[in-house]
Amino acid sequence: MTSQIFAQPFSSLRVITQRLSSATTQQLPQLAHDLTSQFSLCGKELKASGQAQSNGVSSEVTIHVVKLKTQLSTLLLDKTPDARYAAVILIKATIEAGGWSILPHSGLWARNLVSILERQDSSITKNLCIITLTRIFLLTHENQSLVRDITTPVLPAFVAACLNLVRPNDTQTLEQSLQLVVMQALTELVPLHPASFRPFTQQIQSVILPLIASASSQHHSERPSTTVTEAVANNARRLFVQLHVCGPNGTAAEEWSRSIQNVLESAVETTDQILRGLVENSSSPIRRPNGLKSDSLEKEIEEEEPGPLPLPAWKGIDAGVQRLNGLLGTIRAYVTTRTLTAVSLPSGRILSLLERILSALPPDQIRIPKTRPELSRGERDGIFTGLSRLHLSALYILLDMISRLRTDFPAVSQAAMVQAFSTLENESGNEDVRKACFEVIAEDLAYSTPPLSDSNIQTLSTCISLCCTDLLPTDHYTLQNGDGAVSGGPIPPNRIPASPPHLSLIPSQSKIQGSNEPTKISEIAQKVLTLALTKLPREYLPHPLRNQILRAAVLSNSREMMFASVTRPGKAQSGRTVANNILPLFSRAYPHAQELETLLRPHLPPLQANPIQDLLREEERAMKRLEESTMVMPGNASKRGSEGLQSPNKRTKLSTEEVESDESDFVVPKLYLDSDSGDQ
């Protein structure tokens, strides 16, 4: 019986070992890719090999498992890179398929994999080694005996090897893929094994600090700085935040607070340097009234002395903007990264810094920011060019703060809403900034509705109008109705077309041709308008503004917006009747929607599949049984007498219990024998 159960997995494992024995060194890389898909068939056999004696599994199964382990160990120690590459792939597949039965025997593999990181193998092989070792460490974390036997002896050597791979030097060019894999692996392992990482804290910081806030132009740098991708920078920031767990026992929260304070102080100092030539109007308490070294504005902006964070010095306005943008990304990582202990987020200082950055506005057609006369033209252009990037980073920090704090801190939500309104009012022409403002407003409306002043309500109306504009189709459209007639022209700007032509705008009955594909900003705009209809008080949405939202909902064929407008209708100007109910348009656009069934038929019971046929069938059965029960038999005529015949003026009713239905759940009405129609 056991041999039948493991027949298929055993056959697959035998084929794997035979193909590995007969393959040449040049064939191993391709063979390894082909064999990985077959390890899923060997899962039962690999897992049963650990309990072969207790479960009575065939000894032949254990022989093939031991043979596979020996082959992989031999390939891992081979002198050729191709064999080692194949061994890493097959070891990863074996561990995933075997699980806990293979992990106790992976200690030797882990030590040999670390040795490959110190060789001159390809970056692909090293990436696979790091991924395999990380997987081993994550799987062994749940078993203390495996942690003691495998993770604790091997992890320090693994961390040292990874740091050597990503440590910058003048003779070797760093590969972005290798940096990314190392940062991801260390970020996953630091919270699980803080004691093993504690001796390497300073080395890790020296490696990742240039990555979290890199600058394109380093001051006094003989070697040109390498470009850091956004993925590498984000993972380096997460790793930098996680290092607080490596402090002494019981001091994780204090280390986290001290670290974020250093980042904020560095960001404030960099902001002072970047905005030194602008006349700021911000009321932020962290603003320095006279800027930074106003007597040296003629010199090129630079940073020579290190700040609270030992970051490399930078020179030039472009490098300064890049440094500040990296520091804002690090603050965002502190907000979004989960911690093992409760920490205190300095939300007030973060909001003050963001307010100062968002208050510095670039010039437009009607606004010319004030600058100091000593400021050079190149530095002024660099500041105005980089403000959009800084504003995006600041807005996404606000978004993450609202998402993490939710309704626990209403002051943060209200401040974020005001900042988003102000930025949207001043930079509505920038699509990226407008989309970020929409996301902040939508996230804030989803969790709370903070009270707004009159000026903020006016800005809210502007925001809703912009959302309607982004949600509508293009300015010129081609409309094809059901009759085949084609009409084109600008969409009416002020109102929904009057009936009956407005019915032809429903996509179920017509087809709008042109570039009206949904984009990211249109999705965010739709979310804002839906939340505005469902969350905002009615007095925040005056009659013309609500009509504009309804027009956008109909023309964009938004199911969520139509349903929100129908379930929470507005009042007409008289305040007595519902204004502009678009339920008929909603029913035509989505006739099979469940929401529509709830709106149109809320109190009707559910109907059966064929209620009329079931009713007729049950009536026929009832009449047939009634005729049989009232029939007078010859032998029983004298006995039944008058009981067999019923008076013609009596109404015949039959009890429900006497009628049994075996084909349907339909309940037959009760039938009784009454002397008159009024008795019950």
Side-chain angles (χ1 to χ4, degrees):
M1 183 64 180
T2 306
S3 61
Q4 295 179 359
I5 296 176
F6 293 103
Q8 182 62 29
F10 168 71
S11 177
S12 299
L13 185 58
R14 184 176 67 246
V15 170
I16 290 174
T17 55
Q18 289 177 355
R19 295 185 65 181
L20 285 176
S21 302
S22 59
T24 61
T25 304
Q26 292 76 14
Q27 296 174 344
L28 285 175
Q30 183 61 39
L31 180 61
H33 288 283
D34 297 338
L35 294 179
T36 50
S37 60
Q38 299 184 16
F39 273 93
S40 60
L41 303 176
C42 308
K44 291 184 178 180
E45 185 177 0
L46 291 173
K47 293 177 181 178
S49 62
Q51 296 85 17
Q53 296 180 357
S54 59
N55 294 341
V57 180
S58 175
S59 61
E60 194 172 0
V61 175
T62 307
I63 292 174
H64 285 282
V65 173
V66 173
K67 184 178 180 180
L68 176 63
K69 294 178 182 178
T70 305
Q71 288 176 333
L72 296 181
S73 301
T74 304
L75 292 176
L76 197 60
L77 298 175
D78 198 272
K79 295 182 180 180
T80 59
D82 291 342
R84 295 193 293 268
Y85 172 78
V88 175
I89 295 177
L90 296 175
I91 288 174
K92 176 66 164 57
T94 305
I95 292 174
E96 294 292 347
W100 291 98
S101 299
I102 301 297
L103 279 176
H105 308 283
S106 61
L108 181 60
W109 289 346
R111 288 189 291 270
N112 292 331
L113 288 172
V114 172
S115 65
I116 292 179
L117 297 177
E118 301 173 354
R119 297 186 178 184
Q120 298 297 326
D121 285 25
S122 63
S123 60
I124 299 178
T125 304
K126 293 181 179 180
N127 286 341
L128 294 174
C129 284
I130 295 172
I131 294 173
T132 305
L133 286 168
T134 305
R135 184 59 177 163
I136 292 175
F137 296 147
L138 291 176
L139 291 176
T140 57
H141 176 67
E142 301 178 1
N143 191 317
Q144 292 301 320
S145 61
L146 294 180
V147 171
R148 182 178 60 255
D149 297 338
I150 298 176
T151 305
T152 302
V154 180
L155 186 57
F158 170 72
V159 176
C162 289
L163 294 178
N164 290 332
L165 290 176
V166 298
R167 184 175 288 112
N169 53 64
D170 299 333
T171 60
Q172 186 178 3
T173 304
L174 297 179
E175 295 190 12
Q176 300 292 337
S177 61
L178 193 58
Q179 282 185 322
L180 180 60
V181 172
V182 170
M183 296 302 160
Q184 291 175 343
L186 298 183
T187 303
E188 294 289 337
L189 295 176
V190 164
L192 302 180
H193 306 282
S196 299
F197 279 88
R198 189 171 295 128
F200 300 96
T201 303
Q202 297 297 329
Q203 300 180 34
I204 295 175
Q205 288 184 351
S206 63
V207 170
I208 64 177
L209 279 175
L211 302 178
I212 64 173
S214 62
S216 58
S217 177
Q218 303 287 348
H219 187 46
H220 301 305
S221 178
E222 300 178 357
R223 180 176 56 88
S225 58
T226 58
T227 303
V228 180
T229 61
E230 192 65 22
V232 173
N234 289 334
N235 283 276
R237 291 161 189 160
R238 289 182 56 204
L239 177 58
F240 181 75
V241 174
Q242 295 284 8
L243 288 179
H244 71 278
V245 300
C246 299
N249 294 332
T251 61
E254 290 78 4
E255 290 291 332
W256 190 93
S257 300
R258 182 179 59 82
S259 179
I260 192 174
Q261 291 293 343
N262 291 337
V263 175
L264 285 172
E265 186 65 28
S266 298
V268 170
E269 293 183 359
T270 307
T271 305
D272 292 336
Q273 295 169 344
I274 292 176
L275 303 181
R276 64 176 187 172
L278 298 182
V279 179
E280 300 182 56
N281 297 324
S282 172
S283 59
S284 175
I286 64 174
R287 182 177 67 87
R288 297 184 181 181
N290 298 325
L292 179 66
K293 298 180 180 180
S294 58
D295 55 344
S296 60
L297 289 177
E298 298 180 357
K299 297 175 57 178
E300 185 178 8
I301 183 173
E302 62 180 355
E303 181 188 26
E304 296 182 354
E305 299 180 358
L309 290 178
L311 297 171
W314 53 270
K315 183 176 182 180
I317 185 62
D318 295 334
V321 171
Q322 189 175 0
R323 170 61 54 81
L324 180 57
N325 190 60
L327 292 173
L328 292 177
T330 307
I331 296 174
R332 185 182 179 186
Y334 274 97
V335 175
T336 57
T337 305
R338 297 183 179 273
T339 57
L340 300 178
T341 58
V343 295
S344 177
L345 180 68
S347 57
R349 195 170 185 188
I350 294 176
L351 292 176
S352 299
L353 174 63
L354 300 182
E355 178 187 356
R356 182 184 178 189
I357 293 174
L358 292 174
S359 63
L361 302 174
D364 57 8
Q365 296 179 354
I366 60 176
R367 180 182 61 247
I368 301 178
K370 295 182 180 181
T371 59
R372 301 192 179 186
E374 301 89 355
L375 187 66
S376 63
R377 182 176 180 179
E379 184 175 344
R380 181 190 60 188
D381 295 342
I383 293 174
F384 293 150
T385 304
L387 281 178
S388 298
R389 295 176 55 193
L390 299 178
H391 290 177
L392 282 176
S393 300
L395 289 171
Y396 282 120
I397 293 176
L398 291 176
L399 178 64
D400 293 329
M401 290 182 67
I402 297 172
S403 179
R404 290 301 302 273
L405 300 179
R406 301 290 178 91
T407 58
D408 296 335
F409 297 90
V412 174
S413 300
Q414 186 172 3
M417 180 78 80
V418 172
Q419 289 294 333
F421 284 161
S422 177
T423 306
L424 182 63
E425 186 177 10
N426 294 314
E427 299 182 68
S428 59
N430 190 325
E431 183 175 345
D432 294 333
V433 174
R434 188 167 71 252
K435 182 180 69 174
C437 292
F438 288 166
E439 291 180 351
V440 174
I441 295 171
E443 193 74 15
D444 208 343
L445 290 177
Y447 296 117
S448 63
T449 306
L452 302 177
S453 61
D454 294 339
S455 60
N456 290 331
I457 293 176
Q458 182 63 31
T459 309
L460 175 63
S461 301
T462 304
C463 170
I464 292 176
S465 299
L466 291 174
C467 290
C468 294
T469 303
D470 290 330
L471 190 60
L472 288 177
T474 54
D475 293 338
H476 291 271
Y477 64 91
T478 302
L479 185 64
Q480 181 177 358
N481 53 30
D483 300 332
V486 178
S487 61
I491 296 176
N494 297 324
R495 61 182 179 86
I496 300 177
S499 179
H502 77 284
L503 295 178
S504 62
L505 293 176
I506 302 301
S508 61
Q509 301 294 331
S510 63
K511 181 179 180 181
I512 295 179
Q513 300 176 350
S515 58
N516 189 27
E517 298 180 357
T519 58
K520 181 65 176 178
I521 191 170
S522 64
E523 295 175 0
I524 300 300
Q526 176 181 336
K527 183 178 180 181
V528 172
L529 294 177
T530 304
L531 291 171
L533 290 171
T534 56
K535 297 287 187 178
L536 290 177
R538 287 188 174 92
E539 55 268 18
Y540 286 4
L541 299 176
H543 189 65
L545 184 61
R546 185 178 181 87
N547 287 343
Q548 188 177 4
I549 298 175
L550 298 182
R551 173 178 175 270
V554 173
L555 293 179
S556 62
N557 195 33
S558 174
R559 180 173 178 174
E560 292 79 8
M561 291 177 60
M562 289 184 182
F563 181 69
S565 64
V566 172
T567 54
R568 199 166 183 264
K571 296 293 184 181
Q573 294 181 353
S574 61
R576 294 182 179 179
T577 58
V578 178
N580 292 341
N581 193 343
I582 61 172
L583 181 58
L585 304 180
F586 182 38
S587 61
R588 290 197 60 183
Y590 299 97
H592 303 291
Q594 294 183 354
E595 307 96 292
L596 186 62
E597 292 290 332
T598 305
L599 293 173
L600 297 181
R601 291 172 283 272
H603 301 296
L604 293 181
L607 300 178
Q608 297 182 1
N610 296 315
I612 299 178
Q613 296 180 3
D614 294 340
L615 180 60
L616 294 176
R617 188 184 300 111
E618 293 300 333
E619 288 181 352
E620 292 177 359
R621 290 198 187 98
M623 294 301 296
K624 185 177 180 180
R625 295 186 182 184
L626 182 61
E627 292 175 358
E628 294 177 355
S629 63
T630 57
M631 184 180 300
V632 179
M633 302 300 295
N636 298 332
S638 60
K639 181 180 179 180
R640 299 184 57 148
S642 60
E643 295 178 0
L645 299 176
Q646 304 296 330
S647 177
N649 60 352
K650 291 184 178 181
R651 183 168 52 89
T652 303
K653 293 184 180 180
L654 184 63
S655 176
T656 305
E657 290 77 13
E658 298 177 0
V659 180
E660 297 180 357
S661 175
D662 56 347
E663 296 182 7
S664 174
D665 295 333
F666 184 84
V667 179
V668 181
K670 292 185 178 181
L671 298 175
Y672 296 99
L673 295 175
D674 295 335
S675 59
D676 53 27
S677 59
D679 296 329
Q680 297 295 334

